[in-house]
Amino acid sequence: MTNIKVLHQQDKEQFVININEQQALLTYNLYDDRVVFTHTFVPDSLRGQGLAEKLVRSGLSWANSANLNIEASCWYVQKFL
């Protein structure tokens, strides 16, 4: 699982990982200079592989590189702040 690709779908305000026709995702809302990460979801069959962490780290990396103020209403993302 080292070649997992995280896709940033800016038009949908989400980061996704597609595996075997299933999708793990991290959603956010963007407001001017602020991003609020709202939800993390990994299907049951894909849990325990670090996908949620990979999504969150990708999202935070993007937000930091864009100099956005970061907030989270998602409890899982809050663990990384």
Side-chain angles (χ1 to χ4, degrees):
M1 290 300 239
T2 56
N3 294 331
I4 302 291
K5 184 174 182 180
V6 177
L7 303 172
H8 185 189
Q9 299 175 331
Q10 287 186 285
D11 58 323
K12 296 181 180 178
E13 295 188 332
Q14 65 185 12
F15 289 83
V16 299
I17 296 173
N18 295 305
I19 298 176
N20 301 329
E21 299 180 21
Q22 294 188 51
Q23 189 173 72
L25 62 103
L26 168 65
T27 60
Y28 65 88
N29 293 326
L30 186 60
Y31 309 94
D32 297 322
D33 65 346
R34 178 171 64 105
V35 63
V36 179
F37 290 100
T38 56
H39 184 69
T40 307
F41 173 76
V42 177
D44 289 341
S45 63
L46 297 176
R47 292 186 180 169
Q49 301 176 48
L51 299 181
E53 180 175 351
K54 191 165 184 70
L55 287 165
V56 171
R57 292 195 184 281
S58 292
L60 293 176
S61 176
W62 162 75
N64 283 319
S65 68
N67 293 316
L68 296 170
N69 293 312
I70 299 169
E71 298 176 23
S73 59
C74 171
W75 68 268
Y76 187 78
V77 178
Q78 288 175 354
K79 295 182 354 177
F80 294 85
L81 301 180

